[in-house]
Amino acid sequence: MTARTVDAALAREFGLAAGEYARVLAILGRTPTLAELGIFSVMWSEHCSYKSSRLWLRQLPTTAPWVIHGPGENAGVVDIGDGLAAVFKMESHNHPSFIEPYQGAATGVGGIMRDVFTMGARPIANLNALRFGDPAHPRTRHIVDGVVRGIGGYGNCVGVATVGGEVDFHPAYNGNPLVNAMTVGVARRDRIFLSAAAGVGNPVVYVGSKTGRDGIHGATMASAAFAGDSEAKRPTVQVGDPFTEKLLIEACLELMATDAIVAIQDMGAAGLTSSSVEMAGKGGVGIALDLDAVPQREAGMTAYEMMLSESQERMLMVLRPEREALARAIFAKWELDFSVIGRLTDSGRIVVRHRGRIEADIPLAPLADQAPLYRRPTAPPAPPPPLHRLPDPAGLAPALLRLLACPDLCARTWIWDQYDATVGGQTVKRPGAADAAVVRIEGHARALALTTDCTPRYCAADAAQGAAQAVAEAWRNLTAVGATPLALTDNLNFGNPERPEVMGQLVAAVTGMAAACRALDFPVVSGNVSLYNETDGRSVLPTPAIGGLGVMEDAAQAVGIALPAGHDLVLLGAATGHLGQSLWLREVAGQAAGWPPQVDLPAERRVGDFVRARIRAGGVAACHDVSDGGLLVAVAEMVLAGDVGAALLPGPDGLTPHGFWFGEEQARYVLAVGDGAALVAAALAAGVPARRLGTTGGGDLTLPDGATISLMTLRQAHERFLPDWLEQGREFQAQG
């Protein structure tokens, strides 16, 4: 890198505000070196310090008797019984995935897997939450294709099943897609590895791939909005190697079976800087690094470049000195770099040497304790346009077919086919088969249920209700397969927090999340905040994505959505005909208006607990929560999954047919059971609203107005969008 003069202008270029740079000068008592400025800039970036959100995140509930480690470690850890723990987290790779979709998404998957196996867990499942722009936008096909191939390519090569996720399309994501990746692993409860360094004199060891110049200032790039020059940021995108990641997983887990490791940290955002600073800072010790010992794949790298590189597949460890040779032998066996690059000290400082010179000498405590913390101005978002009473412009059958064919509800088969959902042989419910993925724990009857959820259009209309709904839907999807919801991870995706209306959305969303988590005993154990998701001043929809985890005693009891013939359909939960912010309103009536459905948290708890008890008692043949598109879409999805028709009864008096069948009220489930009357009676006795919807069987969906739709017609409407759309893109490229 060409020598640069370190001053306020360069600090501003690195993302430090004038007041932040003044604080750096006060801490050091001098002008920083280039490497020191780089260290401060990434550690105090929004991506690493959460300087706009930290104040508000404190209201989220993070503890429960089953929580072993909450936020603050590489991933959250919960007790799942039998001496086992589930380790899981969700993170974003939004900005890199816009610049370079394949590598951005692939390295997002690689990074989140490292967060999990760093703690001693073997990754068993990946999920994702993806938001793309308008399908008509010229870049959307390219981004969708690259992101999906990147996720599949990395996860498939490493051999970790991609078992679930969600995909939405909206013009607000045209210039800034969201790529949120989640990984879940399993570890012994008594063998969890943490990141706090300890033991003055202990060796600091670098393992994994060599360091290059890719990803430099990636954390800073992720803490700024895009302008029209996003292509120029391509060098800040990391390049992944899933085959090396697989070797790194096996080498780390083999070493973790010994007593060699004192502390371990993934070199993720901000690379060697964040890993060394966080490990030493958490442990209350100092750290001395010799960059001459860092394995490098490019010649002439500077201290600044090595400290800020985000090259992938790298870890930092503190080892017991007497185990250094053992560790070296293990990594040599797996053909990975192993180098002692430093020692722990009692100085309380990070000291970085390169080519005989001290390139950085910074007290560690201020890097964390004096990191900026802002209470940014907030403004309430404008209320949505009012929703007036609407006649039905289409009828039930045409509206259903239109909804099933729309980008937000169409079949995701093309996407799922890019992922290996069954590698490892433990997947019980794969994508599309159930409301949550179900993965058996090897050697046990026990299984984990996993989901990702959010409805951004609700959040745009009412951020507090929308975020509460995202938590409730994740809890509901876990419940619908028969699992006990344990905890969640989140990825809070918002625009520029310096804009009061965006900051108002973030604050409201966290408040709504906190209320839902407390009401449902569903604590937050890990997560990520991704801000500045906007291009040329246009922000994404507020998208607080939720990744939920639950546990089942017996994987064989997991319930899917596929209908069997000869059963009764029963709706549990209240129906009010709420069409505000519904997909029916957008896709059929052509407007986005009204408030989103309100989340009645006591009702969520009451109905969900009843559903889970019925599943565990046996006799529930299928279960599906009611969400996007409303009740008729839920029934149609069950029909398609089981390839079995259904005949539906009229809705209740007092509600319009389109309100009843397409309204998106919350806290509702559709169950297929042998005796619908008995289930309705039991539900009403428990204070749960219930009504019979109809019966299953045959080869058609018969609607309450007498219209009949064949399964073939339903399937053609549901499955055609993605293949046709992507094929049109290939034809256009061929013509070009």
Side-chain angles (χ1 to χ4, degrees):
M1 179 177 178
T2 304
R4 303 287 302 274
T5 300
V6 176
D7 56 16
L10 185 61
R12 187 164 55 251
E13 186 179 322
F14 281 13
L16 289 172
E20 295 169 354
Y21 181 60
R23 193 177 304 176
V24 171
L25 295 177
I27 290 169
L28 294 178
R30 55 177 171 78
T31 300
T33 67
L34 181 63
E36 288 171 334
L37 182 66
I39 290 170
F40 273 102
S41 71
V42 294
M43 293 308 299
W44 285 6
S45 69
E46 192 74 64
H47 190 76
C48 292
S49 74
Y50 292 3
K51 56 191 174 187
S52 298
S53 59
R54 201 161 78 239
L55 184 68
W56 303 101
L57 296 177
R58 294 169 182 166
Q59 65 184 294
L60 294 173
T62 59
T63 60
W66 51 89
V67 173
I68 299 172
H69 293 289
E73 280 299 332
N74 285 293
V77 186
V78 295
D79 190 337
I80 56 173
D82 289 347
L84 299 173
V87 180
F88 68 111
K89 189 181 182 183
M90 180 188 285
E91 279 201 344
S92 62
H93 241 218
N94 302 336
H95 289 62
S97 297
F98 178 65
I99 300 167
E100 178 52 65
Y102 184 93
Q103 289 295 347
T107 53
V109 173
I112 195 62
M113 281 198 285
R114 287 194 299 279
D115 279 338
V116 167
F117 75 75
T118 295
M119 301 196 69
R122 178 171 291 281
I124 64 168
N126 290 328
L127 298 91
N128 50 72
L130 310 177
R131 319 287 169 186
F132 299 116
D134 185 345
H137 189 276
R139 286 204 64 182
T140 302
R141 279 192 193 89
H142 166 70
I143 293 172
V144 170
D145 181 64
V147 165
V148 172
R149 286 191 300 107
I151 290 170
Y154 205 100
N156 297 351
C157 290
V158 174
V160 177
T162 301
V163 297
E166 53 176 347
V167 181
D168 284 336
F169 294 84
H170 192 280
Y173 303 107
N174 282 349
N176 199 131
L178 302 183
V179 177
N180 296 170
M182 175 177 168
T183 293
V184 182
V186 174
R188 280 175 43 186
R189 192 188 190 285
D190 61 353
R191 295 291 289 172
I192 303 298
F193 289 80
L194 306 180
S195 56
V200 171
N202 279 346
V204 177
V205 176
Y206 172 121
V207 299
S209 291
K210 290 178 168 58
T211 293
R213 290 187 171 94
D214 52 317
I216 293 173
H217 263 302
T220 306
M221 179 268 289
S223 304
F226 278 156
D229 63 346
S230 61
E231 289 297 317
K233 298 180 184 290
R234 191 177 299 272
T236 63
V237 178
Q238 309 92 330
V239 178
D241 180 353
F243 300 103
T244 299
E245 179 103 342
K246 174 62 174 173
L247 299 178
L248 189 59
I249 292 173
E250 299 305 329
C252 287
L253 293 179
E254 182 175 340
L255 184 60
M256 287 168 170
T258 74
D259 62 350
I261 297 175
V262 175
I264 182 170
Q265 176 78 35
D266 165 41
M267 288 194 222
L272 186 53
T273 288
S274 63
S275 56
S276 57
V277 167
E278 291 175 7
M279 290 176 76
K282 288 178 182 178
V285 295
I287 188 167
L289 300 178
D290 179 4
L291 299 187
D292 293 341
V294 171
Q296 300 164 54
R297 68 167 184 263
E298 299 185 48
M301 291 190 70
T302 65
Y304 165 86
E305 290 171 330
M306 280 187 275
M307 291 301 293
L308 270 67
S309 168
E310 294 186 8
S311 294
Q312 297 292 285
E313 295 87 38
R314 303 179 302 158
M315 312 286 280
L316 199 65
M317 300 179 177
V318 176
L319 299 180
R320 302 184 194 281
E322 69 276 12
R323 293 299 192 181
E324 183 182 319
L326 169 66
R328 185 183 297 274
I330 288 173
F331 280 87
K333 182 182 82 171
W334 291 100
E335 299 181 344
L336 295 167
D337 278 297
F338 178 101
S339 181
V340 177
I341 66 167
R343 301 279 169 180
L344 298 185
T345 70
D346 60 2
S347 68
R349 305 176 74 86
I350 177 170
V351 179
V352 179
R353 288 180 170 82
H354 185 224
R355 298 173 184 164
R357 292 182 52 187
I358 294 179
E359 295 284 356
D361 186 350
I362 304 173
L364 284 163
L367 279 172
D369 300 344
Q370 295 186 40
L373 178 61
Y374 295 125
R375 182 183 286 272
R376 298 195 185 276
T378 62
L387 175 64
H388 302 293
R389 185 175 180 85
L390 287 172
D392 182 359
L396 295 183
L400 175 62
L401 292 173
R402 190 177 305 177
L403 284 168
L404 289 176
C406 80
D408 280 357
L409 288 177
C410 71
R412 271 56 176 136
T413 308
W414 179 87
I415 294 175
W416 299 334
D417 285 349
Q418 313 307 305
Y419 307 150
D420 190 336
T422 59
V423 62
Q426 302 303 309
T427 305
V428 177
K429 296 294 182 185
R430 58 188 299 166
D435 281 351
V438 179
V439 181
R440 183 184 291 106
I441 300 170
E442 189 171 7
H444 297 260
R446 191 177 303 269
L448 297 179
L450 314 166
T451 187
T452 60
D453 293 287
C454 186
T455 309
R457 66 181 185 279
Y458 291 174
C459 299
D462 185 335
Q465 283 297 311
Q469 188 273 341
V471 172
E473 186 172 356
W475 188 88
R476 202 159 59 233
N477 282 334
L478 299 173
T479 292
V481 298
T484 300
L486 291 182
L488 65 87
T489 182
D490 62 59
N491 208 132
L492 308 182
N493 306 273
F494 291 83
N496 184 346
E498 298 167 49
R499 294 169 51 196
E501 64 274 19
V502 171
M503 197 63 213
Q505 291 173 335
L506 174 61
V507 172
V510 173
T511 301
M513 280 179 58
C517 291
R518 284 192 294 269
L520 300 173
D521 286 334
F522 202 30
V524 180
V525 297
S526 60
N528 174 245
V529 178
S530 176
L531 303 180
Y532 295 96
N533 288 291
E534 60 179 53
T535 299
D536 293 330
R538 294 187 295 274
S539 176
V540 301
L541 299 183
T543 310
I546 302 299
L549 179 142
V551 67
M552 305 187 66
E553 296 294 322
D554 186 353
Q557 293 184 334
V559 172
I561 68 171
L563 287 185
H567 282 66
D568 288 340
L569 285 177
V570 174
L571 170 67
L572 297 179
T576 62
H578 186 95
L579 290 170
Q581 298 301 325
S582 67
L583 279 182
W584 180 90
L585 188 67
R586 189 184 79 189
E587 298 293 330
V588 178
Q591 58 175 297
W595 295 100
Q598 298 298 290
V599 182
D600 183 338
L601 292 168
E604 286 283 0
R605 188 65 183 261
R606 184 167 57 253
V607 179
D609 288 350
F610 178 81
V611 168
R612 199 179 311 108
R614 299 300 296 194
I615 290 173
R616 291 178 180 174
V620 176
C623 181
H624 194 7
D625 88 305
V626 180
S627 55
D628 278 350
L631 179 56
L632 192 53
V633 166
V635 171
E637 289 172 342
M638 298 175 81
V639 162
L640 289 170
D643 201 29
V644 169
L648 300 178
L649 300 169
D653 295 335
L655 289 182
T656 62
H658 61 288
F660 177 70
W661 290 106
F662 297 116
E664 295 184 8
E665 307 88 285
Q666 302 297 292
R668 296 190 298 164
Y669 304 77
V670 177
L671 277 64
V673 296
D675 186 345
L679 177 60
V680 169
L684 294 176
V688 172
R691 65 179 294 117
R692 286 186 67 242
L693 292 176
T695 56
T696 70
D700 302 311
L701 176 60
T702 302
L703 303 181
D705 61 5
T708 297
I709 310 174
S710 70
L711 293 185
M712 180 179 296
T713 300
L714 281 176
R715 198 170 302 284
Q716 288 173 342
H718 191 46
E719 294 182 352
R720 67 175 179 243
F721 172 75
L722 277 176
D724 288 356
W725 178 65
L726 289 161
E727 185 59 34
Q728 290 167 8
R730 294 188 193 99
E731 291 174 358
F732 179 79
Q733 288 178 336
Q735 292 168 2

